[in-house]
Amino acid sequence: MGGGGQYPYPKDVWSPTGGWWSRPGNWATNTAVCIVGIGLASWGVWRVSARNEQRHIAPTKPIPSQNWSPQAREIGVRAA
């Protein structure tokens, strides 16, 4: 099971991803840092998008952005 053992590979080949059978010791920290970074970037984009969202015609059905849009109260689709 597992496809066999690790075979000999050229030692002089450089790879930006770490090469054959790479498993850096700090992979969990790297993954956590990436998840936090992606989360912060997504949160920032969401905040800018929610702040700049404008609707020129009131929606006919409820939509999720009515809960956080400051304009929703002005056009009468969300109670105060």
PDB file of all heavy atoms in Angstrom, residues 39-53:
ATOM      1  N   GLY A  39      -8.420  35.214   5.423  1.00  0.00           N
ATOM      2  CA  GLY A  39      -9.601  35.680   6.163  1.00  0.00           C
ATOM      3  C   GLY A  39      -9.617  37.191   6.336  1.00  0.00           C
ATOM      4  O   GLY A  39     -10.656  37.832   6.150  1.00  0.00           O
ATOM      5  N   LEU A  40      -8.473  37.771   6.691  1.00  0.00           N
ATOM      6  CA  LEU A  40      -8.405  39.227   6.848  1.00  0.00           C
ATOM      7  C   LEU A  40      -8.633  39.950   5.521  1.00  0.00           C
ATOM      8  O   LEU A  40      -9.327  40.973   5.470  1.00  0.00           O
ATOM      9  CB  LEU A  40      -7.058  39.635   7.442  1.00  0.00           C
ATOM     10  CG  LEU A  40      -6.870  39.336   8.919  1.00  0.00           C
ATOM     11  CD1 LEU A  40      -5.442  39.629   9.349  1.00  0.00           C
ATOM     12  CD2 LEU A  40      -7.858  40.123   9.752  1.00  0.00           C
ATOM     13  N   ALA A  41      -8.056  39.425   4.452  1.00  0.00           N
ATOM     14  CA  ALA A  41      -8.264  40.043   3.135  1.00  0.00           C
ATOM     15  C   ALA A  41      -9.729  39.952   2.724  1.00  0.00           C
ATOM     16  O   ALA A  41     -10.307  40.926   2.209  1.00  0.00           O
ATOM     17  CB  ALA A  41      -7.368  39.377   2.098  1.00  0.00           C
ATOM     18  N   SER A  42     -10.359  38.808   2.961  1.00  0.00           N
ATOM     19  CA  SER A  42     -11.776  38.645   2.618  1.00  0.00           C
ATOM     20  C   SER A  42     -12.652  39.583   3.444  1.00  0.00           C
ATOM     21  O   SER A  42     -13.607  40.176   2.918  1.00  0.00           O
ATOM     22  CB  SER A  42     -12.217  37.197   2.860  1.00  0.00           C
ATOM     23  OG  SER A  42     -11.494  36.328   2.040  1.00  0.00           O
ATOM     24  N   TRP A  43     -12.336  39.713   4.730  1.00  0.00           N
ATOM     25  CA  TRP A  43     -13.105  40.603   5.599  1.00  0.00           C
ATOM     26  C   TRP A  43     -12.982  42.054   5.116  1.00  0.00           C
ATOM     27  O   TRP A  43     -13.968  42.789   5.077  1.00  0.00           O
ATOM     28  CB  TRP A  43     -12.616  40.474   7.036  1.00  0.00           C
ATOM     29  CG  TRP A  43     -13.297  41.395   7.989  1.00  0.00           C
ATOM     30  CD1 TRP A  43     -14.548  41.253   8.511  1.00  0.00           C
ATOM     31  CD2 TRP A  43     -12.775  42.607   8.519  1.00  0.00           C
ATOM     32  NE1 TRP A  43     -14.819  42.314   9.352  1.00  0.00           N
ATOM     33  CE2 TRP A  43     -13.750  43.164   9.368  1.00  0.00           C
ATOM     34  CE3 TRP A  43     -11.573  43.288   8.361  1.00  0.00           C
ATOM     35  CZ2 TRP A  43     -13.551  44.350  10.046  1.00  0.00           C
ATOM     36  CZ3 TRP A  43     -11.388  44.466   9.043  1.00  0.00           C
ATOM     37  CH2 TRP A  43     -12.361  44.982   9.868  1.00  0.00           C
ATOM     38  N   GLY A  44     -11.777  42.477   4.741  1.00  0.00           N
ATOM     39  CA  GLY A  44     -11.579  43.842   4.246  1.00  0.00           C
ATOM     40  C   GLY A  44     -12.331  44.114   2.964  1.00  0.00           C
ATOM     41  O   GLY A  44     -12.968  45.157   2.803  1.00  0.00           O
ATOM     42  N   VAL A  45     -12.294  43.159   2.042  1.00  0.00           N
ATOM     43  CA  VAL A  45     -13.034  43.324   0.782  1.00  0.00           C
ATOM     44  C   VAL A  45     -14.529  43.372   1.058  1.00  0.00           C
ATOM     45  O   VAL A  45     -15.263  44.171   0.467  1.00  0.00           O
ATOM     46  CB  VAL A  45     -12.678  42.186  -0.201  1.00  0.00           C
ATOM     47  CG1 VAL A  45     -13.619  42.160  -1.378  1.00  0.00           C
ATOM     48  CG2 VAL A  45     -11.241  42.331  -0.669  1.00  0.00           C
ATOM     49  N   TRP A  46     -15.013  42.534   1.981  1.00  0.00           N
ATOM     50  CA  TRP A  46     -16.436  42.522   2.307  1.00  0.00           C
ATOM     51  C   TRP A  46     -16.870  43.861   2.907  1.00  0.00           C
ATOM     52  O   TRP A  46     -17.924  44.378   2.570  1.00  0.00           O
ATOM     53  CB  TRP A  46     -16.731  41.381   3.286  1.00  0.00           C
ATOM     54  CG  TRP A  46     -18.178  41.280   3.628  1.00  0.00           C
ATOM     55  CD1 TRP A  46     -19.152  40.650   2.924  1.00  0.00           C
ATOM     56  CD2 TRP A  46     -18.830  41.854   4.756  1.00  0.00           C
ATOM     57  NE1 TRP A  46     -20.358  40.794   3.553  1.00  0.00           N
ATOM     58  CE2 TRP A  46     -20.185  41.532   4.683  1.00  0.00           C
ATOM     59  CE3 TRP A  46     -18.383  42.620   5.827  1.00  0.00           C
ATOM     60  CZ2 TRP A  46     -21.104  41.931   5.639  1.00  0.00           C
ATOM     61  CZ3 TRP A  46     -19.301  43.016   6.780  1.00  0.00           C
ATOM     62  CH2 TRP A  46     -20.639  42.665   6.679  1.00  0.00           C
ATOM     63  N   ARG A  47     -16.039  44.417   3.794  1.00  0.00           N
ATOM     64  CA  ARG A  47     -16.384  45.699   4.419  1.00  0.00           C
ATOM     65  C   ARG A  47     -16.476  46.819   3.383  1.00  0.00           C
ATOM     66  O   ARG A  47     -17.403  47.629   3.413  1.00  0.00           O
ATOM     67  CB  ARG A  47     -15.346  46.072   5.481  1.00  0.00           C
ATOM     68  CG  ARG A  47     -15.312  45.162   6.677  1.00  0.00           C
ATOM     69  CD  ARG A  47     -16.339  45.498   7.666  1.00  0.00           C
ATOM     70  NE  ARG A  47     -16.067  46.845   8.168  1.00  0.00           N
ATOM     71  CZ  ARG A  47     -16.803  47.470   9.035  1.00  0.00           C
ATOM     72  NH1 ARG A  47     -17.852  46.882   9.523  1.00  0.00           N
ATOM     73  NH2 ARG A  47     -16.502  48.674   9.432  1.00  0.00           N
ATOM     74  N   VAL A  48     -15.503  46.878   2.486  1.00  0.00           N
ATOM     75  CA  VAL A  48     -15.513  47.910   1.442  1.00  0.00           C
ATOM     76  C   VAL A  48     -16.720  47.714   0.530  1.00  0.00           C
ATOM     77  O   VAL A  48     -17.412  48.670   0.169  1.00  0.00           O
ATOM     78  CB  VAL A  48     -14.197  47.886   0.640  1.00  0.00           C
ATOM     79  CG1 VAL A  48     -14.295  48.757  -0.588  1.00  0.00           C
ATOM     80  CG2 VAL A  48     -13.043  48.326   1.519  1.00  0.00           C
ATOM     81  N   SER A  49     -17.000  46.469   0.173  1.00  0.00           N
ATOM     82  CA  SER A  49     -18.138  46.180  -0.698  1.00  0.00           C
ATOM     83  C   SER A  49     -19.462  46.559  -0.026  1.00  0.00           C
ATOM     84  O   SER A  49     -20.336  47.162  -0.659  1.00  0.00           O
ATOM     85  CB  SER A  49     -18.145  44.699  -1.065  1.00  0.00           C
ATOM     86  OG  SER A  49     -19.290  44.376  -1.803  1.00  0.00           O
ATOM     87  N   ALA A  50     -19.622  46.204   1.250  1.00  0.00           N
ATOM     88  CA  ALA A  50     -20.865  46.519   1.961  1.00  0.00           C
ATOM     89  C   ALA A  50     -21.044  48.029   2.114  1.00  0.00           C
ATOM     90  O   ALA A  50     -22.158  48.539   2.020  1.00  0.00           O
ATOM     91  CB  ALA A  50     -20.865  45.847   3.334  1.00  0.00           C
ATOM     92  N   ARG A  51     -19.945  48.747   2.329  1.00  0.00           N
ATOM     93  CA  ARG A  51     -20.027  50.197   2.494  1.00  0.00           C
ATOM     94  C   ARG A  51     -20.386  50.891   1.188  1.00  0.00           C
ATOM     95  O   ARG A  51     -21.113  51.881   1.177  1.00  0.00           O
ATOM     96  CB  ARG A  51     -18.700  50.720   3.022  1.00  0.00           C
ATOM     97  CG  ARG A  51     -18.705  52.208   3.288  1.00  0.00           C
ATOM     98  CD  ARG A  51     -17.371  52.679   3.761  1.00  0.00           C
ATOM     99  NE  ARG A  51     -16.337  52.126   2.868  1.00  0.00           N
ATOM    100  CZ  ARG A  51     -15.050  52.068   3.140  1.00  0.00           C
ATOM    101  NH1 ARG A  51     -14.597  52.505   4.269  1.00  0.00           N
ATOM    102  NH2 ARG A  51     -14.196  51.566   2.284  1.00  0.00           N
ATOM    103  N   ASN A  52     -19.911  50.377   0.064  1.00  0.00           N
ATOM    104  CA  ASN A  52     -20.125  51.036  -1.229  1.00  0.00           C
ATOM    105  C   ASN A  52     -21.310  50.498  -2.014  1.00  0.00           C
ATOM    106  O   ASN A  52     -21.577  50.988  -3.106  1.00  0.00           O
ATOM    107  CB  ASN A  52     -18.864  50.900  -2.089  1.00  0.00           C
ATOM    108  CG  ASN A  52     -17.698  51.644  -1.496  1.00  0.00           C
ATOM    109  OD1 ASN A  52     -17.876  52.617  -0.784  1.00  0.00           O
ATOM    110  ND2 ASN A  52     -16.501  51.171  -1.767  1.00  0.00           N
ATOM    111  N   GLU A  53     -22.011  49.526  -1.487  1.00  0.00           N
ATOM    112  CA  GLU A  53     -23.136  48.929  -2.208  1.00  0.00           C
ATOM    113  C   GLU A  53     -24.274  49.942  -2.350  1.00  0.00           C
ATOM    114  O   GLU A  53     -24.662  50.600  -1.385  1.00  0.00           O
ATOM    115  CB  GLU A  53     -23.637  47.701  -1.461  1.00  0.00           C
ATOM    116  CG  GLU A  53     -24.830  47.052  -2.108  1.00  0.00           C
ATOM    117  CD  GLU A  53     -25.322  45.854  -1.329  1.00  0.00           C
ATOM    118  OE1 GLU A  53     -24.888  45.671  -0.178  1.00  0.00           O
ATOM    119  OE2 GLU A  53     -26.145  45.123  -1.869  1.00  0.00           O
TER     120      GLU A  53
END
